């Protein structure tokens, strides 16, 4: 995934909303993902899935990872 490579390369990440605040999104664990500054700026006010399609990024892989991370965050701590 691009975000993992960016973390490894030491590029600073920003918070980005899957559904932008201006379109009804909120700052919640389910709606916030890390993004590099250039991706965050190019996404602007678009929904992340439409932006990924325009950039020809791996949308299904992103969505699977997003769902899995959400499950892990909601799972009870053992």
């Amino acid at each position: 995934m691009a975000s993992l490579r960016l973390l490894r390369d030491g590029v600073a990440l920003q918070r980005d909303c899957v559904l932008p605040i201006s379109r009804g999104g909120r700052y919640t664990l389910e709606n916030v993902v890390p993004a590099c500054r250039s991706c965050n700026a190019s996404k602007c006010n678009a929904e992340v899935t439409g932006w990924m399609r325009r950039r020809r990024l791996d949308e299904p892989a992103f969505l699977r990872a997003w769902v899995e991370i959400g499950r892990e965050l909601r799972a009870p701590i053992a």
Side-chain angles (χ1 to χ4, degrees):
M1 285 180 95
S3 61
L4 295 176
R5 181 172 41 81
L6 293 170
L7 284 170
R8 213 172 320 150
D9 292 343
V11 174
L13 297 177
Q14 301 177 345
R15 283 175 271 156
D16 187 32
C17 293
V18 174
L19 178 63
I21 300 296
S22 63
R23 294 182 175 217
R26 299 183 339 176
Y27 281 116
T28 62
L29 284 175
E30 293 83 13
N31 194 43
V32 176
V33 295
C36 69
R37 183 169 45 188
S38 66
C39 287
N40 200 1
S42 73
K43 180 182 162 284
C44 194
N45 197 32
E47 292 183 35
V48 75
T49 53
W51 173 81
M52 291 183 86
R53 284 183 207 127
R54 284 193 307 279
R55 302 269 309 228
R56 295 195 171 127
L57 299 172
D58 192 351
E59 179 189 358
F62 167 80
L63 293 172
R64 284 190 299 273
W66 186 44
V67 167
E68 184 59 34
I69 290 167
R71 282 187 193 133
E72 290 176 17
L73 289 172
R74 287 187 295 279
I77 297 173

